[in-house]
Amino acid sequence: MFAELELYGHEQVAFCSDPQVGLRAIIAIHDTTLGPALGGTRMWHYATDAEALTDVLRLSRGMTYKAAVAGLNLGGGKAVIIGDPHTQKTEMLFRSYGRFVETLRGRYITAEDVGTTVRDMEWIRMETRYVTGVAGDHGSGDPSPYTALGVYVGITAAAKTVFGSESLAGKRVAVQGAGNVARNLVTQLRKDGAQVVITDIFEDKARAVCTELGAEYVEPDAIYDIECDIFSPNALGAILNDTTIPRLRCAIVAGGANNQLADEERHARMLIERGILYAPDYVINAGGLINVTSEIEGWSRQQVTRKVESIYDTLLRIFRMASDSRIATIDASNRIAEERIAHVRHIHRTYIGTPAIRNS
Ligand code: NAD
Protein backbone atom coordinates (compact mmCIF):
# COMPACT_ATOMS: atom_id res chain seq x y z
CA MET A 1 0.00 0.00 0.00
CA PHE A 2 2.79 2.46 0.87
CA ALA A 3 4.38 1.81 -2.51
CA GLU A 4 1.12 2.93 -4.10
CA LEU A 5 1.04 6.11 -1.97
CA GLU A 6 4.67 6.89 -2.81
CA LEU A 7 4.06 6.33 -6.51
CA TYR A 8 1.70 9.30 -6.72
CA GLY A 9 3.10 11.29 -3.79
CA HIS A 10 0.14 11.04 -1.40
CA GLU A 11 0.64 12.53 2.06
CA GLN A 12 -2.02 10.69 4.02
CA VAL A 13 -4.86 8.18 3.66
CA ALA A 14 -7.46 7.72 6.41
CA PHE A 15 -9.67 4.63 6.61
CA CYS A 16 -12.91 5.35 8.47
CA SER A 17 -15.03 2.55 9.93
CA ASP A 18 -18.24 2.75 11.95
CA PRO A 19 -20.03 -0.61 11.63
CA GLN A 20 -23.02 0.55 13.71
CA VAL A 21 -24.10 2.95 10.99
CA GLY A 22 -22.60 0.94 8.10
CA LEU A 23 -19.86 3.48 7.36
CA ARG A 24 -16.84 2.40 5.35
CA ALA A 25 -15.01 5.39 3.95
CA ILE A 26 -11.54 6.31 2.72
CA ILE A 27 -10.21 9.88 2.80
CA ALA A 28 -7.10 10.54 0.70
CA ILE A 29 -5.01 13.69 1.10
CA HIS A 30 -2.66 14.01 -1.85
CA ASP A 31 -0.76 17.28 -1.48
CA THR A 32 -1.25 20.28 0.81
CA THR A 33 1.53 22.54 -0.51
CA LEU A 34 -0.92 25.13 -1.86
CA GLY A 35 -3.44 24.87 1.01
CA PRO A 36 -5.95 22.53 2.66
CA ALA A 37 -6.89 19.48 0.60
CA LEU A 38 -10.35 20.12 -0.84
CA GLY A 39 -12.35 17.55 -2.79
CA GLY A 40 -15.74 15.90 -2.87
CA THR A 41 -17.04 12.78 -1.19
CA ARG A 42 -18.14 10.14 -3.68
CA MET A 43 -20.61 7.44 -2.65
CA TRP A 44 -20.43 4.37 -4.85
CA HIS A 45 -21.04 0.61 -4.59
CA TYR A 46 -17.45 -0.44 -5.35
CA ALA A 47 -17.05 -4.16 -6.09
CA THR A 48 -13.96 -4.39 -3.85
CA ASP A 49 -12.17 -2.26 -1.24
CA ALA A 50 -9.11 -2.22 -3.49
CA GLU A 51 -11.18 -0.66 -6.27
CA ALA A 52 -12.35 2.06 -3.85
CA LEU A 53 -8.77 2.77 -2.77
CA THR A 54 -7.52 3.04 -6.36
CA ASP A 55 -10.36 5.43 -7.18
CA VAL A 56 -9.80 7.70 -4.18
CA LEU A 57 -6.04 7.87 -4.81
CA ARG A 58 -6.58 8.75 -8.46
CA LEU A 59 -9.28 11.30 -7.73
CA SER A 60 -7.41 13.05 -4.90
CA ARG A 61 -4.31 13.49 -7.05
CA GLY A 62 -6.51 14.95 -9.77
CA MET A 63 -7.78 17.54 -7.26
CA THR A 64 -4.23 18.74 -6.52
CA TYR A 65 -3.69 19.38 -10.22
CA LYS A 66 -7.12 20.91 -10.68
CA ALA A 67 -6.65 23.46 -7.87
CA ALA A 68 -3.11 24.26 -9.01
CA VAL A 69 -4.05 24.99 -12.63
CA ALA A 70 -7.17 26.93 -11.59
CA GLY A 71 -4.88 29.21 -9.56
CA LEU A 72 -6.54 28.34 -6.24
CA ASN A 73 -4.79 28.20 -2.87
CA LEU A 74 -5.90 24.65 -2.21
CA GLY A 75 -4.37 21.21 -2.04
CA GLY A 76 -5.88 18.01 -3.38
CA GLY A 77 -8.01 15.50 -1.52
CA LYS A 78 -10.97 13.25 -2.08
CA ALA A 79 -13.06 10.74 -0.15
CA VAL A 80 -15.16 7.73 -1.02
CA ILE A 81 -17.95 6.15 0.97
CA ILE A 82 -18.42 2.53 -0.01
CA GLY A 83 -22.14 1.86 -0.43
CA ASP A 84 -25.17 2.20 -2.65
CA PRO A 85 -26.20 5.86 -2.78
CA HIS A 86 -29.77 4.88 -3.69
CA THR A 87 -30.42 2.59 -0.70
CA GLN A 88 -27.77 3.07 1.99
CA LYS A 89 -27.87 6.77 2.84
CA THR A 90 -28.85 7.76 6.38
CA GLU A 91 -28.38 10.83 8.53
CA MET A 92 -26.27 8.79 10.96
CA LEU A 93 -23.97 7.51 8.22
CA PHE A 94 -23.15 11.04 7.07
CA ARG A 95 -22.89 12.43 10.61
CA SER A 96 -20.49 9.65 11.51
CA TYR A 97 -18.48 10.40 8.38
CA GLY A 98 -18.53 14.13 9.32
CA ARG A 99 -16.89 13.28 12.65
CA PHE A 100 -14.04 11.57 10.82
CA VAL A 101 -13.62 14.65 8.60
CA GLU A 102 -13.48 16.79 11.77
CA THR A 103 -10.63 14.68 13.18
CA LEU A 104 -8.42 15.86 10.31
CA ARG A 105 -8.77 19.44 11.66
CA GLY A 106 -9.08 21.15 8.30
CA ARG A 107 -6.35 19.31 6.44
CA TYR A 108 -9.24 17.92 4.37
CA ILE A 109 -12.34 19.89 3.40
CA THR A 110 -15.16 17.98 1.74
CA ALA A 111 -17.90 18.78 -0.80
CA GLU A 112 -20.46 17.04 -3.04
CA ASP A 113 -19.54 14.52 -5.69
CA VAL A 114 -21.16 11.67 -7.64
CA GLY A 115 -23.63 9.93 -5.35
CA THR A 116 -23.82 12.72 -2.74
CA THR A 117 -26.08 15.77 -2.55
CA VAL A 118 -26.44 19.12 -0.80
CA ARG A 119 -28.63 17.37 1.82
CA ASP A 120 -25.82 14.93 2.63
CA MET A 121 -23.44 17.88 3.07
CA GLU A 122 -25.91 19.40 5.55
CA TRP A 123 -25.75 16.21 7.62
CA ILE A 124 -21.93 16.27 7.49
CA ARG A 125 -22.00 19.91 8.57
CA MET A 126 -23.79 18.95 11.79
CA GLU A 127 -20.47 17.40 12.86
CA THR A 128 -17.77 19.46 11.17
CA ARG A 129 -17.05 22.93 9.78
CA TYR A 130 -14.83 21.45 7.11
CA VAL A 131 -17.50 21.04 4.47
CA THR A 132 -18.40 23.21 1.49
CA GLY A 133 -21.25 23.10 -1.00
CA VAL A 134 -23.97 23.29 1.64
CA ALA A 135 -27.22 25.15 0.94
CA GLY A 136 -28.48 28.51 2.15
CA ASP A 137 -26.55 31.19 4.04
CA HIS A 138 -23.71 28.87 4.96
CA GLY A 139 -22.71 27.80 1.50
CA SER A 140 -22.47 28.21 -2.23
CA GLY A 141 -24.99 25.43 -2.93
CA ASP A 142 -24.98 23.09 -5.90
CA PRO A 143 -21.67 23.51 -7.79
CA SER A 144 -22.85 21.91 -11.03
CA PRO A 145 -24.08 25.11 -12.77
CA TYR A 146 -20.54 26.53 -12.37
CA THR A 147 -18.94 23.29 -13.51
CA ALA A 148 -21.20 23.43 -16.55
CA LEU A 149 -20.27 27.09 -17.19
CA GLY A 150 -16.58 26.11 -17.14
CA VAL A 151 -17.20 23.21 -19.52
CA TYR A 152 -19.15 25.52 -21.81
CA VAL A 153 -16.42 28.21 -22.00
CA GLY A 154 -13.86 25.40 -22.38
CA ILE A 155 -15.77 24.01 -25.37
CA THR A 156 -15.73 27.48 -26.96
CA ALA A 157 -11.95 27.73 -26.38
CA ALA A 158 -11.48 24.34 -28.06
CA ALA A 159 -13.74 25.42 -30.94
CA LYS A 160 -11.69 28.61 -31.36
CA THR A 161 -8.51 26.52 -31.51
CA VAL A 162 -9.81 23.88 -33.93
CA PHE A 163 -12.37 25.72 -36.08
CA GLY A 164 -10.99 29.29 -35.78
CA SER A 165 -14.20 30.57 -34.19
CA GLU A 166 -15.71 30.08 -30.78
CA SER A 167 -19.24 30.15 -32.15
CA LEU A 168 -21.15 26.92 -31.55
CA ALA A 169 -24.08 27.78 -33.82
CA GLY A 170 -24.79 24.75 -36.00
CA LYS A 171 -22.09 22.64 -34.30
CA ARG A 172 -23.08 19.09 -33.36
CA VAL A 173 -22.30 18.07 -29.78
CA ALA A 174 -22.61 14.50 -28.45
CA VAL A 175 -23.21 14.59 -24.70
CA GLN A 176 -22.63 11.51 -22.53
CA GLY A 177 -24.68 11.63 -19.31
CA ALA A 178 -27.80 13.64 -18.52
CA GLY A 179 -27.02 14.53 -14.90
CA ASN A 180 -26.59 17.87 -13.15
CA VAL A 181 -23.62 19.10 -15.17
CA ALA A 182 -24.92 17.87 -18.52
CA ARG A 183 -28.37 19.45 -18.11
CA ASN A 184 -26.90 22.88 -17.37
CA LEU A 185 -24.41 22.50 -20.21
CA VAL A 186 -27.04 21.48 -22.76
CA THR A 187 -29.13 24.53 -21.80
CA GLN A 188 -26.22 26.80 -22.76
CA LEU A 189 -25.32 24.83 -25.90
CA ARG A 190 -28.90 25.04 -27.17
CA LYS A 191 -28.98 28.80 -26.45
CA ASP A 192 -25.96 29.11 -28.75
CA GLY A 193 -27.72 27.17 -31.49
CA ALA A 194 -25.74 23.95 -31.22
CA GLN A 195 -27.36 20.60 -32.12
CA VAL A 196 -27.20 18.17 -29.22
CA VAL A 197 -27.28 14.37 -29.15
CA ILE A 198 -27.53 12.97 -25.62
CA THR A 199 -27.53 9.66 -23.75
CA ASP A 200 -27.76 8.31 -20.21
CA ILE A 201 -27.91 4.83 -18.70
CA PHE A 202 -31.20 6.05 -17.24
CA GLU A 203 -33.05 6.63 -20.49
CA ASP A 204 -35.80 8.73 -18.87
CA LYS A 205 -33.22 11.31 -17.69
CA ALA A 206 -31.84 11.76 -21.20
CA ARG A 207 -35.33 11.80 -22.73
CA ALA A 208 -36.39 14.52 -20.27
CA VAL A 209 -33.50 16.71 -21.50
CA CYS A 210 -34.54 16.01 -25.11
CA THR A 211 -38.12 17.09 -24.44
CA GLU A 212 -37.23 20.14 -22.37
CA LEU A 213 -34.30 21.50 -24.37
CA GLY A 214 -34.65 20.00 -27.83
CA ALA A 215 -32.00 17.31 -28.22
CA GLU A 216 -31.80 13.90 -29.90
CA TYR A 217 -31.63 10.70 -27.82
CA VAL A 218 -29.27 7.77 -28.53
CA GLU A 219 -28.62 4.51 -26.66
CA PRO A 220 -25.66 4.72 -24.20
CA ASP A 221 -23.24 2.68 -26.28
CA ALA A 222 -24.08 4.48 -29.53
CA ILE A 223 -22.77 7.86 -28.29
CA TYR A 224 -19.18 7.01 -29.30
CA ASP A 225 -20.17 6.47 -32.95
CA ILE A 226 -22.03 9.74 -33.40
CA GLU A 227 -20.62 11.92 -36.15
CA CYS A 228 -20.16 15.28 -34.43
CA ASP A 229 -17.85 18.25 -33.89
CA ILE A 230 -17.53 17.84 -30.13
CA PHE A 231 -17.84 14.80 -27.88
CA SER A 232 -18.61 15.90 -24.30
CA PRO A 233 -18.28 13.20 -21.61
CA ASN A 234 -20.27 14.17 -18.50
CA ALA A 235 -20.89 10.81 -16.84
CA LEU A 236 -18.16 8.67 -15.27
CA GLY A 237 -14.41 8.23 -15.80
CA ALA A 238 -12.14 6.04 -17.98
CA ILE A 239 -14.43 6.36 -20.99
CA LEU A 240 -11.55 7.27 -23.33
CA ASN A 241 -9.90 3.88 -23.83
CA ASP A 242 -8.66 1.37 -26.42
CA THR A 243 -12.20 0.44 -27.42
CA THR A 244 -13.85 3.85 -27.56
CA ILE A 245 -11.15 6.13 -29.05
CA PRO A 246 -11.07 4.36 -32.46
CA ARG A 247 -14.85 4.78 -32.64
CA LEU A 248 -14.94 8.56 -32.03
CA ARG A 249 -15.96 10.69 -35.00
CA CYS A 250 -15.34 14.16 -33.56
CA ALA A 251 -12.67 16.89 -33.68
CA ILE A 252 -12.78 17.78 -29.97
CA VAL A 253 -13.29 15.94 -26.68
CA ALA A 254 -14.35 18.40 -23.99
CA GLY A 255 -16.52 17.44 -21.04
CA GLY A 256 -16.92 17.63 -17.29
CA ALA A 257 -16.33 14.00 -16.22
CA ASN A 258 -13.31 13.33 -14.03
CA ASN A 259 -10.48 11.02 -15.15
CA GLN A 260 -11.71 10.56 -18.70
CA LEU A 261 -8.48 8.97 -19.99
CA ALA A 262 -8.28 5.31 -18.89
CA ASP A 263 -4.49 5.46 -19.32
CA GLU A 264 -3.30 9.06 -19.25
CA GLU A 265 -0.25 8.62 -21.45
CA ARG A 266 -1.40 6.03 -23.97
CA HIS A 267 -4.86 7.38 -24.55
CA ALA A 268 -3.75 11.01 -24.79
CA ARG A 269 -1.38 9.85 -27.54
CA MET A 270 -4.13 7.89 -29.28
CA LEU A 271 -6.29 11.02 -29.38
CA ILE A 272 -3.42 13.03 -30.90
CA GLU A 273 -2.90 10.31 -33.53
CA ARG A 274 -6.60 10.52 -34.39
CA GLY A 275 -6.30 14.32 -34.72
CA ILE A 276 -8.69 14.96 -31.83
CA LEU A 277 -8.08 17.92 -29.48
CA TYR A 278 -8.55 16.91 -25.86
CA ALA A 279 -9.47 19.51 -23.22
CA PRO A 280 -7.88 18.11 -20.02
CA ASP A 281 -10.72 17.06 -17.73
CA TYR A 282 -9.48 18.62 -14.53
CA VAL A 283 -8.92 21.98 -16.22
CA ILE A 284 -12.29 22.25 -17.97
CA ASN A 285 -14.30 20.94 -14.99
CA ALA A 286 -12.77 23.22 -12.32
CA GLY A 287 -15.87 25.48 -12.17
CA GLY A 288 -17.46 23.57 -9.30
CA LEU A 289 -14.25 23.69 -7.31
CA ILE A 290 -13.92 27.42 -7.94
CA ASN A 291 -17.49 27.88 -6.71
CA VAL A 292 -16.98 26.00 -3.45
CA THR A 293 -13.70 27.85 -2.90
CA SER A 294 -15.78 31.04 -2.71
CA GLU A 295 -17.00 29.76 0.68
CA ILE A 296 -13.44 29.77 1.96
CA GLU A 297 -12.28 32.95 0.19
CA GLY A 298 -15.52 34.93 0.58
CA TRP A 299 -15.88 35.67 -3.14
CA SER A 300 -19.04 37.25 -4.60
CA ARG A 301 -21.10 35.53 -7.32
CA GLN A 302 -19.56 37.91 -9.87
CA GLN A 303 -16.04 37.03 -8.78
CA VAL A 304 -16.87 33.32 -9.02
CA THR A 305 -18.32 33.72 -12.51
CA ARG A 306 -15.27 35.71 -13.69
CA LYS A 307 -12.89 33.13 -12.25
CA VAL A 308 -14.83 30.26 -13.87
CA GLU A 309 -14.84 32.09 -17.19
CA SER A 310 -11.04 32.35 -16.98
CA ILE A 311 -10.97 28.61 -17.79
CA TYR A 312 -11.30 29.84 -21.39
CA ASP A 313 -7.89 31.59 -21.27
CA THR A 314 -6.27 28.79 -19.29
CA LEU A 315 -7.29 26.27 -21.94
CA LEU A 316 -6.13 28.48 -24.82
CA ARG A 317 -2.74 28.68 -23.06
CA ILE A 318 -2.63 24.90 -22.63
CA PHE A 319 -3.60 24.24 -26.26
CA ARG A 320 -0.91 26.66 -27.45
CA MET A 321 1.75 25.20 -25.14
CA ALA A 322 0.89 21.65 -26.25
CA SER A 323 1.10 22.62 -29.89
CA ASP A 324 4.34 24.61 -29.51
CA SER A 325 6.10 21.94 -27.42
CA ARG A 326 4.58 19.01 -29.36
CA ILE A 327 3.23 17.44 -26.21
CA ALA A 328 -0.22 16.19 -25.21
CA THR A 329 -2.61 18.78 -23.76
CA ILE A 330 -2.77 16.79 -20.51
CA ASP A 331 1.04 16.95 -20.26
CA ALA A 332 0.94 20.72 -20.81
CA SER A 333 -1.57 21.19 -17.98
CA ASN A 334 0.33 18.79 -15.69
CA ARG A 335 3.44 20.85 -16.32
CA ILE A 336 1.67 24.09 -15.37
CA ALA A 337 0.36 22.48 -12.14
CA GLU A 338 3.68 20.95 -11.15
CA GLU A 339 5.59 24.19 -11.77
CA ARG A 340 3.18 26.19 -9.61
CA ILE A 341 3.38 23.67 -6.74
CA ALA A 342 7.19 23.55 -6.97
CA HIS A 343 7.42 27.36 -6.84
CA VAL A 344 5.09 27.65 -3.85
CA ARG A 345 6.94 24.84 -2.07
CA HIS A 346 10.11 26.86 -2.54
CA ILE A 347 8.49 29.93 -0.95
CA HIS A 348 7.40 27.80 2.01
CA ARG A 349 10.91 26.52 2.41
CA THR A 350 12.21 30.07 2.47
CA TYR A 351 9.88 31.39 5.16
CA ILE A 352 8.55 28.59 7.33
CA GLY A 353 10.65 27.88 10.39
CA THR A 354 12.12 31.37 10.77
CA PRO A 355 12.61 31.75 14.52
CA ALA A 356 10.67 34.53 16.22
CA ILE A 357 12.86 37.48 17.24
CA ARG A 358 12.35 38.65 20.80
CA ASN A 359 13.89 41.92 21.95
CA SER A 360 13.51 41.31 25.66
P1 NAD B 1 -24.66 13.14 -11.95
O1 NAD B 1 -24.61 11.94 -11.08
O2 NAD B 1 -25.72 14.17 -11.72
O3 NAD B 1 -24.76 12.71 -13.48
C1 NAD B 1 -24.04 11.66 -14.06
C2 NAD B 1 -24.98 10.98 -15.05
O4 NAD B 1 -24.23 10.06 -15.82
C3 NAD B 1 -26.11 10.20 -14.37
O5 NAD B 1 -27.34 10.63 -14.89
C4 NAD B 1 -25.80 8.74 -14.73
O6 NAD B 1 -26.95 7.96 -14.88
C5 NAD B 1 -25.05 8.91 -16.04
N1 NAD B 1 -24.18 7.80 -16.43
C6 NAD B 1 -23.39 7.02 -15.65
N2 NAD B 1 -22.72 6.13 -16.41
C7 NAD B 1 -23.11 6.34 -17.69
C8 NAD B 1 -22.77 5.75 -18.93
N3 NAD B 1 -21.90 4.74 -19.00
N4 NAD B 1 -23.35 6.23 -20.05
C9 NAD B 1 -24.23 7.24 -19.99
N5 NAD B 1 -24.59 7.85 -18.84
C10 NAD B 1 -24.03 7.41 -17.70
O7 NAD B 1 -23.20 13.79 -11.86
P2 NAD B 1 -22.78 15.27 -12.29
O8 NAD B 1 -22.74 16.10 -11.06
O9 NAD B 1 -23.55 15.72 -13.46
O10 NAD B 1 -21.27 15.00 -12.71
C11 NAD B 1 -20.95 14.39 -13.96
C12 NAD B 1 -19.46 14.17 -14.06
O11 NAD B 1 -18.76 15.39 -13.88
C13 NAD B 1 -18.87 13.23 -13.01
O12 NAD B 1 -17.80 12.51 -13.59
C14 NAD B 1 -18.33 14.15 -11.96
O13 NAD B 1 -17.28 13.58 -11.22
C15 NAD B 1 -17.83 15.29 -12.81
N6 NAD B 1 -17.80 16.56 -12.10
C16 NAD B 1 -18.91 17.10 -11.57
C17 NAD B 1 -18.84 18.31 -10.90
C18 NAD B 1 -20.06 18.97 -10.33
O14 NAD B 1 -20.00 20.15 -10.00
N7 NAD B 1 -21.18 18.29 -10.21
C19 NAD B 1 -17.62 18.96 -10.76
C20 NAD B 1 -16.49 18.39 -11.37
C21 NAD B 1 -16.59 17.18 -12.02
Side-chain angles (χ1 to χ4, degrees):
M1 192 158 58
F2 282 101
E4 207 172 343
L5 302 195
E6 282 160 21
L7 183 66
Y8 296 115
H10 284 80
E11 289 178 11
Q12 185 179 8
V13 177
F15 291 86
C16 316
S17 167
D18 186 349
Q20 277 199 326
V21 299
L23 177 73
R24 296 167 77 217
I26 311 174
I27 301 172
I29 296 177
H30 177 252
D31 189 296
T32 55
T33 306
L34 298 178
L38 194 149
T41 297
R42 177 167 294 197
M43 185 163 182
W44 195 250
H45 41 81
Y46 293 98
T48 63
D49 296 349
E51 200 184 289
L53 179 62
T54 303
D55 207 29
V56 79
L57 292 180
R58 230 165 98 104
L59 293 167
S60 55
R61 180 169 172 261
M63 292 306 294
T64 298
Y65 282 74
K66 186 188 292 199
V69 175
L72 303 172
N73 291 322
L74 290 172
K78 201 89 178 183
V80 294
I81 296 178
I82 302 168
D84 186 339
H86 297 293
T87 58
Q88 285 174 265
K89 281 187 181 180
T90 60
E91 176 190 344
M92 288 311 144
L93 180 114
F94 282 99
R95 291 185 72 159
S96 171
Y97 170 67
R99 288 199 173 190
F100 281 105
V101 172
E102 179 67 17
T103 64
L104 294 166
R105 295 169 166 265
R107 274 176 54 70
Y108 170 66
I109 302 171
T110 197
E112 265 187 79
D113 196 68
V114 173
T116 56
T117 62
V118 170
R119 184 206 56 183
D120 306 331
M121 296 306 116
E122 301 283 358
W123 281 334
I124 294 169
R125 194 173 177 278
M126 291 177 184
E127 304 296 337
T128 182
R129 287 161 292 157
Y130 303 118
V131 52
T132 54
V134 289
D137 296 342
H138 302 299
S140 56
D142 179 8
S144 6
Y146 289 95
T147 302
L149 174 64
V151 174
Y152 165 70
V153 299
I155 287 176
T156 62
K160 173 97 181 148
T161 303
V162 173
F163 308 122
S165 159
E166 62 193 37
S167 166
L168 300 177
K171 292 279 182 285
R172 196 164 156 85
V173 188
V175 178
Q176 183 179 46
N180 296 323
V181 173
R183 268 199 317 275
N184 284 290
L185 172 66
V186 173
T187 305
Q188 195 57 51
L189 293 174
R190 293 291 297 140
K191 255 190 221 157
D192 277 15
Q195 299 167 26
V196 174
V197 183
I198 191 164
T199 190
D200 198 287
I201 44 169
F202 292 103
E203 185 177 335
D204 54 332
K205 283 178 89 169
R207 291 239 182 243
V209 174
C210 294
T211 312
E212 191 190 331
L213 301 167
E216 187 190 324
Y217 171 79
V218 289
E219 292 293 325
D221 190 57
I223 198 78
Y224 301 108
D225 305 314
I226 296 295
E227 183 142 17
C228 58
D229 299 291
I230 299 138
F231 171 53
S232 184
N234 295 285
L236 292 180
I239 50 88
L240 298 171
N241 53 48
D242 292 343
T243 319
T244 58
I245 294 174
R247 291 169 60 186
L248 295 178
R249 297 160 79 196
C250 59
I252 292 165
V253 173
N258 281 312
N259 296 319
Q260 292 167 30
L261 298 163
D263 179 308
E264 197 169 287
E265 208 183 306
R266 187 164 88 250
H267 295 124
R269 204 172 45 239
M270 275 177 79
L271 287 169
I272 293 173
E273 281 161 9
R274 294 240 23 232
I276 297 171
L277 181 71
Y278 172 62
D281 44 14
Y282 69 79
V283 180
I284 195 169
N285 73 14
L289 178 63
I290 293 168
N291 179 52
V292 294
T293 306
S294 68
E295 292 177 35
I296 301 166
E297 302 278 7
W299 292 333
S300 67
R301 295 289 91 201
Q302 270 172 328
Q303 284 171 303
V304 173
T305 302
R306 260 205 312 276
K307 192 115 182 110
V308 174
E309 284 172 349
S310 74
I311 289 173
Y312 177 92
D313 290 325
T314 305
L315 276 171
L316 282 189
R317 181 180 165 210
I318 287 166
F319 295 149
R320 222 176 296 122
M321 182 172 166
S323 156
D324 292 350
S325 310
R326 294 174 180 274
I327 56 174
T329 53
I330 189 85
D331 293 331
S333 51
N334 287 350
R335 204 179 274 181
I336 290 171
E338 284 159 11
E339 279 176 6
R340 180 162 180 246
I341 292 167
H343 288 149
V344 173
R345 196 172 283 143
H346 172 74
I347 298 169
H348 281 182
R349 233 182 258 136
T350 310
Y351 292 107
I352 287 180
T354 307
I357 298 169
R358 288 173 191 269
N359 293 322
S360 58

